[in-house]
Amino acid sequence: MSEVYLKEQEYGKDRVRLAKVVKTGKWHEIIELTVCVLLDGEFEDSYTKTDNSMIVATDSMKNTIYILAKQSSCVENIEIFATEIGKHFITTYSHVHKATISIIKHKWTRMLIDGKLHDHSFHRDGEDVHDTKVVVSRKSVTIESGLKNLLVLKTTGSAFYGFLRDKYTTLPEADDRILSTNVDATWTFNIQNMASVGKIPFNDIFESVKQITLHTFATHNSASVQATLYLMAKNVLKKHSQIDSIRYELPNKHYFTYDLERFGLKNTGKDADIFVPFNDPAGLIIATVARVKSRL
Ligand SMILES: O=c1[nH]c(=O)c2[nH]c(=O)[nH]c2[nH]1
């Protein structure tokens, strides 16, 4: 057999679920997270020589996440909390060279009861989440954040025509159609150094990216999912100088008119109002838009 070597490795604890309640008198906050920690470093011997002496047990990593959550005042700010966790692992263990921390923040929206925000009751109003992936090494920190699973639909203001037609094409041109997608967006931050991480208003930027995404989707006349995606990204980069690039993954969740002509009912063009939503197959449009780097 030809010689082999351990090309790369990462190991850690995934799907660590954690909720923290922050109480200010009767006013409570709930933060619910799913955390993944992966470590890279001098772990080769555990794979190749059955030497476990350098292994930080994944069970200890799980304990560490709960301990740091107890001690931290930044759990609500997942990019900062992830950086704290990453820093902990590379400063505590000299043989750990890189820690990759991924966190999903689940949505709990405060209830509005009798016209007032309730102090300790929350509901889930949508499956969209805020997530982050932070990679901490001794030299650098990289942070990407995301908005995942935001389901949107508009009933007009979307067309799709002028596309390539050949013997494989059956899709009719549409000057007015339903447009629906499940937005997944991931953006990377321009981080100067570890100390600057605490100064970035990650949660405000998240809310703003979400709002820009919704605003662009709703207000522009879409020529295609591709054109909508590019405009969303351009608007985000225009507004947020801390963001270097943004990637969108937009499935085109098709709604096709149902053939009611067979029953003597008009359901095309201006008369179209009965549609069949299709889960599968879906188009999938993926692109990353980045700033042109200045040559200065
Ligand atoms: O916005 C669209 N982009 C496409 O690439 C495409 N392809 C398709 O069949 N419908 C659509 N819609």
Side-chain angles (χ1 to χ4, degrees):
M1 198 180 95
S2 58
E3 232 183 310
V4 298
Y5 71 107
L6 183 72
K7 190 172 173 197
E8 54 190 15
Q9 78 83 46
E10 269 182 315
Y11 84 102
K13 202 64 141 189
D14 191 15
R15 305 182 65 77
V16 179
R17 298 196 48 189
L18 150 74
K20 180 166 186 171
V21 177
V22 180
K23 300 180 180 175
T24 313
K26 287 174 74 179
W27 186 261
H28 296 181
E29 307 280 348
I30 174 80
I31 307 147
E32 185 170 333
L33 309 180
T34 301
V35 183
C36 173
V37 172
L38 291 172
L39 302 183
D40 190 9
E42 291 157 41
F43 297 108
E44 185 167 349
D45 289 357
S46 67
Y47 293 87
T48 61
K49 297 187 179 145
T50 67
D51 176 355
N52 290 348
S53 58
M54 299 299 244
I55 293 182
V56 179
T58 68
D59 191 64
S60 316
M61 295 183 200
K62 177 197 67 187
N63 291 340
T64 306
I65 293 167
Y66 289 107
I67 292 164
L68 294 179
K70 179 83 181 166
Q71 293 167 342
S72 174
S73 57
C74 298
V75 175
E76 205 261 335
N77 216 315
I78 54 173
E79 289 85 354
I80 296 176
F81 183 47
T83 307
E84 288 177 353
I85 297 172
K87 258 162 101 177
H88 168 89
F89 283 106
I90 63 160
T91 52
T92 307
Y93 307 104
S94 61
H95 64 293
V96 173
H97 300 164
K98 189 178 89 178
T100 302
I101 315 300
S102 304
I103 301 184
I104 301 167
K105 179 156 71 173
H106 303 284
K107 200 173 185 189
W108 284 118
T109 302
R110 194 174 291 283
M111 286 187 195
L112 192 62
I113 300 293
D114 299 329
K116 271 180 30 200
L117 288 171
H118 199 263
D119 51 23
H120 62 257
S121 299
F122 306 83
H123 65 116
R124 174 98 3 123
D125 72 340
E127 293 302 320
D128 55 302
V129 294
H130 176 181
D131 68 356
T132 190
K133 180 172 161 187
V134 175
V135 181
V136 182
S137 70
R138 281 190 185 73
K139 288 204 195 98
S140 67
V141 54
T142 64
I143 301 185
E144 60 181 46
S145 296
L147 163 65
K148 301 287 154 62
N149 213 26
L150 178 66
L151 184 59
V152 293
L153 178 149
K154 65 197 271 186
T155 52
T156 189
S158 164
F160 185 60
Y161 53 80
F163 49 90
L164 187 152
R165 296 205 85 84
D166 61 14
K167 65 181 180 185
Y168 302 106
T169 314
T170 55
L171 184 74
E173 304 215 320
D175 57 7
D176 190 18
R177 65 175 183 173
I178 291 179
L179 182 61
S180 177
T181 187
N182 206 27
V183 176
D184 270 10
T186 308
W187 52 97
T188 52
F189 286 94
N190 161 5
I191 307 279
Q192 306 299 340
N193 51 49
M194 194 83 87
S196 64
V197 172
K199 298 189 191 113
I200 300 175
F202 294 103
N203 285 344
D204 293 348
I205 292 173
F206 170 81
E207 291 303 334
S208 169
V209 171
K210 181 171 170 178
Q211 209 42 51
I212 292 167
T213 301
L214 292 175
H215 190 274
T216 309
F217 180 82
T219 57
H220 98 112
N221 265 326
S222 172
S224 64
V225 176
Q226 286 86 337
T228 302
L229 181 159
Y230 191 68
L231 188 60
M232 285 171 172
K234 230 169 99 175
N235 289 341
V236 167
L237 292 172
K238 198 157 102 191
K239 178 90 190 274
H240 293 290
S241 58
Q242 303 101 321
I243 297 178
D244 264 349
S245 67
I246 180 161
R247 170 187 160 99
Y248 279 99
E249 288 193 26
L250 301 181
N252 189 1
K253 299 177 78 68
H254 304 296
Y255 284 70
F256 293 126
T257 48
Y258 194 69
D259 179 7
L260 290 174
E261 305 291 323
R262 298 170 291 176
F263 308 100
L265 296 168
K266 286 192 173 154
N267 196 40
T268 55
K270 298 224 174 321
D271 297 310
D273 59 356
I274 299 298
F275 299 84
V276 188
F278 281 86
N279 276 338
D280 312 309
L284 182 58
I285 318 298
I286 304 173
T288 303
V289 180
R291 277 176 213 292
V292 176
K293 293 250 187 279
S294 151
R295 282 157 208 244
L296 292 176

